[in-house]
Amino acid sequence: MNRSFQVDLRGVVDLLSQHLYSSPRVYVRELLQNAVDAVTARRAADAAAPAGIAIDAGEGTLRIADTGIGLTEGQVHELLATIGRSSKRDELGYGRRDFLGQFGIGLLSAFLVADETRVVTRSATGAPAVSWTGRADGTYAVGPGERDAIGTTVTLTARRGAEQWFVPETVADLATLYGSMLPFEITVNGKAISGSGVPWLAGQRSPGHRSADLVGYAQEVLGFTPFDVVDLDVPEAGLTGVAYVLPFPANPAEQGGHRVYLKRMLLAENAPGLLPDWAFFARCVVDTGELRPTASREALYDDDQLAATREALGEQLRGWLVGLSATHPQRLNQFLKIHHLGVKALALHDDDMLRLVDEWWPLETNVGRMTLAEFRARYGVLRYCATADEFDQLAGVAAAQNLPVINGGYTYDSELVERARALDPAVRVERLDPSDLTTAFADLDPDTALAVRPFAAAAQRCVDRLGCEVVLREFEPASLPVLYLVDRAAAFAGELRATKEAVDELWAGVLSAFEKPERDRPQLVLNYRNPLVQRISRLDNAELTALAVESLYGQALLLGRHPVRPADSALLNRAFLGLLDRAVPNQENR
């Protein structure tokens, strides 16, 4: 046998009115929405019907009256006392797209600020006026009402502690915030607050006048002077509006919200998800007739239609960027200086944006800042360092060996260099491996190599326990005595060893399966063109030679910003103190 749910109406009213909405201020919006829908319904049946909404506030009372379609007694019982049924959609017979309200719960917002709501309504059908009184405890009463004209009046009396929401200035501000763009006459205590119109619609204004109005709107409402204004239009979503390009850098991780109107009534001041994630450099102000609001009417419902709209808006912003590169290149450069991250993020997936970045965005290289297109035209091979630290270590030495290198350490730069193949499949892209530098260094002549062989062997013995290989080469700049170079295979092996030392025996055994025979070790490259290295190689004191080599090893680690292990720290300390001891002899060894 089927049974009905037992519902605690008082609990439902409290749940929806106290927890559905983020702030009590939305009660003005919801009452205004109901009035707008009532007027819309009446004018759909009679285009000549009056369209007006009057709000009166003061002394802890708010009254909102409309010239809408009104309700019969049957509709009052069925609709005002049934949570979740939309009178606009179900009972009046009009489609969802004609109305702001869709969920039949807007009147509950009154219980945010009042314990009792009184509605007096006269239907356009000619039925007598009806009075409905709803209470926060879930009860209601219906009786005859007194109202001469067709329409509805809703009256609220502030509950204790909510009086501030009935102050006339506050009510006027809220009504203006939500309803200033509505096409109906709306007054608060006799003063009109609507009629400002939609700022992006052309009307009778010249293009210059319209542009000035749009900038003025951004300054007044959004609080900034935009870098540019982009018109938006998605007919499938009934959406029109503008995107304001921010004049300052925006954090990609903080997706800004957008000002969204639903049928010219403010839905949300900070609605997320309207633009693609990469378009964090823009803030939109739009009006839509087709996108669905959430139940609280404070955001857009994330469905397939919103996803399609998001894609269409992203396409329009992308078109603006491409057009800017063709018509206003200097302006594009200014934009890129502010919002290069967003453009580079888009270029990872969009070939048109990749061409824009390739031609216009200068990258850091060891031969000066230049675009990818310029670098490719001059040097052919797009050789890059994947991290900023790697670039800092190798850029100067690579330049001295006539190896142009791009710094790919900034956000998205490595990926964009790799993506250059999408523009030209024949282009060579190479990540610079530190071991590549060793092949560019000059070998010592045979006589010198023979003469320094004992020194090389002694130096190797000093660093054997540290897991690196000593190599003597000649390279520029001669002022640099030593380099510590770690190729990617050696770096992986080093990280694997460090991890094994830090974990328990079980995991160490698992990690051992990834170990490979150690062929490539980090290289300690001593520059024989450096006078200091030459003098060290001629020392005849084994102890002093060891201290010197250990000191060079420590300097190479520090200059290259390599990780310093405990064994390295001990070596650095020993070498420093040993050299200091020899520099400052005591009485015994003077």
Side-chain angles (χ1 to χ4, degrees):
M1 180 177 65
N2 292 329
R3 298 180 182 274
S4 299
F5 285 103
Q6 300 300 309
V7 180
D8 179 358
L9 288 181
R10 182 168 188 164
V12 171
V13 168
D14 178 71
L15 176 67
L16 293 179
S17 63
Q18 298 294 337
H19 302 290
L20 178 67
Y21 302 107
S22 62
S23 168
R25 72 175 189 163
V26 300
Y27 89 97
V28 174
R29 181 194 68 191
E30 295 298 299
L31 295 179
L32 189 58
Q33 166 215 294
N34 288 343
V36 170
D37 282 345
V39 172
T40 301
R42 184 177 180 189
R43 298 202 80 183
D46 179 7
I53 300 169
I55 303 174
D56 292 291
E59 299 181 358
T61 301
L62 181 138
R63 182 179 296 105
I64 178 168
D66 65 65
T67 60
I69 197 167
L71 298 173
T72 65
E73 182 176 350
Q75 291 170 333
V76 165
H77 280 286
E78 178 68 16
L79 303 174
L80 294 187
T82 305
I83 296 173
R85 175 171 295 181
S86 172
S87 60
K88 280 70 69 175
R89 183 176 70 245
D90 302 328
E91 181 67 19
L92 297 179
Y94 297 101
R96 172 183 295 172
R97 62 183 296 173
D98 297 316
F99 300 97
L100 294 166
Q102 300 177 17
F103 302 97
I105 56 178
L107 194 59
L108 289 173
S109 65
F111 295 115
L112 292 169
V113 294
D115 288 322
E116 185 175 276
T117 302
R118 184 167 185 265
V119 177
V120 178
T121 180
R122 178 181 288 276
S123 172
T125 62
V130 181
S131 173
W132 177 90
T133 302
R135 306 176 187 88
D137 62 4
T139 62
Y140 72 96
V142 177
E146 294 184 6
R147 182 181 172 92
D148 296 331
I150 295 171
T152 300
T153 300
V154 179
T155 304
L156 307 180
T157 301
R159 70 153 55 103
R160 186 184 300 274
E163 293 84 0
Q164 71 271 24
W165 297 108
F166 289 74
V167 174
E169 292 78 7
T170 300
V171 173
D173 289 343
L174 292 175
T176 302
L177 173 68
Y178 292 115
S180 61
M181 287 191 189
L182 289 169
F184 306 132
E185 179 182 305
I186 302 174
T187 62
V188 177
N189 290 350
K191 182 179 179 180
I193 57 95
S194 62
S196 62
V198 181
W200 52 86
L201 298 182
Q204 303 298 318
R205 298 171 296 173
S206 66
H209 189 184
R210 175 179 179 271
S211 178
D213 286 347
L214 288 173
V215 171
Y217 179 89
Q219 292 171 334
E220 180 180 353
V221 177
L222 303 181
F224 62 83
T225 301
F227 175 86
D228 207 345
V229 183
V230 183
D231 284 303
L232 303 175
D233 184 17
V234 184
E236 296 80 6
L239 183 146
T240 61
V242 291
Y244 288 108
V245 180
L246 298 176
F248 46 80
N251 185 349
E254 298 178 2
Q255 296 297 322
H258 308 280
R259 196 176 184 89
V260 177
Y261 290 81
L262 182 62
K263 302 179 182 70
R264 296 178 63 169
M265 184 169 175
L266 182 66
L267 177 74
E269 297 175 87
N270 201 34
L274 188 63
L275 291 181
D277 290 343
W278 56 261
F280 55 83
F281 54 79
R283 297 290 179 269
C284 293
V285 181
V286 300
D287 178 55
T288 177
E290 297 296 332
L291 296 180
R292 295 170 54 197
T294 58
S296 66
R297 291 178 42 78
E298 296 178 349
L300 293 170
Y301 188 77
D302 198 352
D303 56 8
D304 291 342
Q305 188 175 34
L306 179 59
T309 301
R310 185 186 302 123
E311 183 177 349
L313 294 177
E315 182 69 16
Q316 291 175 26
L317 280 175
R318 187 187 66 82
W320 168 77
L321 280 171
V322 173
L324 206 61
S325 67
T327 58
H328 298 90
Q330 291 183 341
R331 188 112 173 107
L332 176 64
N333 280 328
Q334 294 173 357
F335 170 80
L336 288 176
K337 288 178 181 178
I338 303 172
H339 296 298
H340 55 278
L341 282 180
V343 177
K344 289 196 291 185
L346 178 56
L348 296 181
H349 314 285
D350 186 284
D351 287 348
D352 284 340
M353 287 296 99
L354 181 61
R355 292 187 185 91
L356 186 148
V357 171
D358 180 70
E359 184 176 355
W360 295 102
W361 178 242
L363 302 176
E364 181 182 359
T365 78
N366 63 347
V367 288
R369 292 188 68 85
M370 64 182 68
T371 65
L372 274 174
E374 292 170 336
F375 193 95
R376 190 167 59 251
R378 290 187 190 182
Y379 305 110
V381 179
L382 296 180
R383 187 178 291 107
Y384 71 96
C385 291
T387 68
D389 282 345
E390 195 174 86
F391 181 81
D392 290 342
Q393 297 165 23
L394 306 177
V397 178
Q401 318 315 312
N402 294 318
L403 287 177
V405 179
I406 298 168
N407 184 1
Y410 294 104
T411 305
Y412 304 129
D413 282 3
S414 292
E415 294 92 334
L416 289 173
V417 174
E418 290 286 352
R419 274 267 293 151
R421 296 188 181 95
L423 301 179
D424 182 3
V427 68
R428 287 176 54 199
V429 178
E430 297 177 0
R431 177 177 173 181
L432 179 67
D433 195 295
S435 60
D436 296 340
L437 286 178
T438 310
T439 62
F441 296 158
D443 291 327
L444 276 61
D445 65 77
D447 291 339
T448 302
L450 183 62
V452 299
R453 184 177 296 174
F455 165 70
Q460 185 63 59
R461 288 193 295 273
C462 291
V463 298
D464 257 341
R465 64 187 181 280
L466 301 172
C468 72
E469 176 186 2
V470 173
V471 179
L472 268 74
R473 294 287 188 271
E474 291 184 330
F475 57 87
E476 294 295 335
S479 59
L480 182 66
V482 64
L483 274 176
Y484 186 80
L485 299 179
V486 187
D487 66 14
R488 288 190 286 277
F492 173 78
E495 292 173 3
L496 190 62
R497 284 194 301 273
T499 304
K500 281 181 60 181
E501 294 172 1
V503 299
D504 58 31
E505 185 177 349
L506 175 62
W507 279 108
V510 173
L511 294 175
S512 296
F514 296 94
E515 287 187 317
K516 297 179 179 179
E518 195 171 291
R519 300 187 183 91
D520 298 319
R521 295 191 294 171
Q523 293 182 332
L524 185 69
V525 185
L526 302 178
N527 185 6
Y528 199 72
R529 289 184 186 172
N530 181 267
L532 176 62
V533 172
Q534 293 182 15
R535 294 202 303 273
I536 294 173
S537 70
R538 294 193 289 266
L539 289 173
D540 56 5
N541 185 312
E543 182 182 358
L544 187 57
T545 298
L547 289 174
V549 171
E550 290 173 349
S551 298
L552 289 175
Y553 172 84
Q555 184 199 32
L557 287 183
L558 297 177
L559 289 179
R561 302 178 187 177
H562 297 284
V564 178
R565 301 167 297 177
D568 299 328
S569 297
L571 178 142
L572 282 169
N573 186 58
R574 183 175 63 251
F576 174 75
L577 292 178
L579 291 177
L580 190 60
D581 183 62
R582 286 181 169 272
V584 187
N586 55 30
Q587 293 297 328
E588 288 75 14
N589 64 10
R590 182 178 297 276

